[in-house]
Amino acid sequence: MQTVYIKDLGKHEGQTVTLAGWVANRRDSKGLVFLNIRDGYGLCQCVVDEAKISATEFEAASKLGLESSLTLNGLVVKDERQLGGFEIQVSGLEVLQSAVDFPIAKKEHGVEFLADRRHLWLRSNRQWAIMRIRNRIIYSIHQFFQEQDFVQMDAPIFTGNACEGTTNLFETDFFGEPAYLSQSGQLYGEAMAFAMNKIYTFGPTFRAEKSKTRRHLAEFWMIEPEMAFYDIFMNMDLIEGLMKRIVTDVLKDCKTELNAIGRDTAILENIVKPFPRLTYDEAVRIIKGEQDVNGQNSIKSLEDELEIVKEKIAATHVEIKQREENIASGALKKGEINFNQSKIDKLKQELKDLEEDERNIPGWLESARNFEYGSDFGGSDETVITRLFDVPIMVYNWPHAVKAFYLKRDPVDSRFARGVDVLAPEGYGEIVGGGERETDEQLLREKITEHELPMDAFEWYLDLRKYGSVKHAGFGLGLERVVCWVCKLPHVRESIPFPRMLGRVLP
Ligand code: 4AD
Ligand code: MG
């Protein structure tokens, strides 16, 4: 008999097939065992009927613990009510390994509890969906670049020089010499672009981020295209094209997954609209509330929202209290008690989110009001501005003093550098950073000195300005940040199979 994947059941309606997978859920009723089987490609209800199977097999089925592995045979029957539209009527079953007391149950677990069991948590339907979306995004990125004649090349991971400042370098012992885990493949990307014209790297990058935020990982995957003969505006066109491609592909191919995580796709559909391009100056005015966006003012809208959040919190407390009193009154039937209890659980979850907003909004307001012209954007500033938009925005022309040494000085106004940051909407913030590169060797030397970087380690890089230098540009897209926004995750830790961050190196 043929082993098939759950996703392909539609091709086998009316046939008897074999499935191989794990028990995602088990429910017993008189003479019947309902098994929810997952095989990594989908979920399917399999019905074990005492009357249609041997007594030993039925006994085995009725004892199966969560995440036990098994193979089973059965008839594929159409059933619209089921998740994938099909059900299996089991005619035979073999337990491969019987799992006892799988630690992750259906009830809500705390984040640390789940993070400690990431190796098992990955099997949950939600994590499954996120990882499949991540996979689709990775594939889209390769398709997008390969179709446009980019060559994928790999930058080294051990590096002798910093790329993104020296404050968050991981130092290693490289045969007795210090070497750093790469923060970015960009400088090597520039060398490779002068050999191949258009390249992209796709590799792990490392930042010793000492702060715990919902955006920062110590190890993350970055995609860094670098293009000879490109200026900052061509660079922005390319970024926009890539983002549109990624989101369009996910919307087209990951409907089940987006549904599984409850992602509201309306915002993602906006991806077809042009991305607003704002200069740093405009973006600062918007953050400080000196310029409105589509009739919305950053300060005013945060103040209004804080009021609404407070009202909602009060109303939620009242409703919880009422329902608890109803249950305590003893006048409710069992079904009504369960209904009220699950409502209360849901309200308590909503309350947590509301209380988080209540804590956060005053901080966002304060940093927006006190934003100092000339400084880089912090997480709060990015949140404040991106909550006003429904598509990613591009902020370009940054004060050169706060950006990386390699960015080209704006030929029109030398206070600025030709960098661009792409900020995702809904408060997500930076997902891409890039820009046009400085081609003036002397200016670069000054910048390297100003940033207190060792000139020796950059001589190879400066060679690129001596031998056939051309204008060029590129960017770095943080894969996990993009997954995080597309899936609307509360924290970047869910966007990568095994996150590495401050305090987390296991499992
Ligand atoms: O803005 P960054 O630091 O830019 C660079 O590294 C450039 N050399 C890229 C280039 O032009 N080739 O990082 C690029 C992106 C950020 O926009 C963000 O999406 C992601 O990398 N990123 C992180 N993602 C997760 N955790 C962190 N600690 C990250 N730091 C940066
Ligand atoms: Mg950046």
Side-chain angles (χ1 to χ4, degrees), residues 11 110-111 218 266 346 362 378 383 399 411 425 428 457-458 474 481:
K11 295 180 208 153
V111 166
K346 211 167 150 236
T383 303
Y428 274 85
F458 289 89
R481 297 265 183 99

Side-chain angles (χ1 to χ4, degrees), residues 18-32:
T18 304
L19 292 188
W22 296 265
V23 177
N25 196 22
R26 196 197 78 221
R27 192 163 54 82
D28 305 316
S29 124
K30 209 170 171 341
L32 296 171

Side-chain angles (χ1 to χ4, degrees), residues 422-439:
V422 181
L423 311 180
E426 301 174 88
Y428 274 85
E430 185 184 341
I431 50 176
V432 173
E436 191 173 333
R437 316 309 184 190
E438 184 56 76
T439 45

Side-chain angles (χ1 to χ4, degrees), residues 164 207 376 382 403 406 420-421 430-434 476 481:
E164 296 300 322
R207 310 264 170 113
D376 202 354
E382 291 178 6
K403 287 289 183 191
Y406 51 70
V420 54
D421 276 6
E430 185 184 341
I431 50 176
V432 173
R481 297 265 183 99

Side-chain angles (χ1 to χ4, degrees), residues 163-164 168 183-187 205 207 209 215-226 403 406-407 421-422 430-435 437 474-482 492:
C163 179
E164 296 300 322
N168 59 12
Q183 298 165 306
S184 158
Q186 179 199 319
L187 305 183
T205 43
R207 310 264 170 113
E209 303 282 1
R215 300 179 173 148
H216 288 94
L217 291 166
E219 175 180 308
F220 60 98
W221 289 73
M222 190 152 41
I223 294 85
E224 295 185 88
E226 193 68 34
K403 287 289 183 191
Y406 51 70
L407 285 177
D421 276 6
V422 181
E430 185 184 341
I431 50 176
V432 173
R437 316 309 184 190
F475 62 89
L477 175 142
L479 178 63
E480 288 73 21
R481 297 265 183 99
V482 171
V492 72

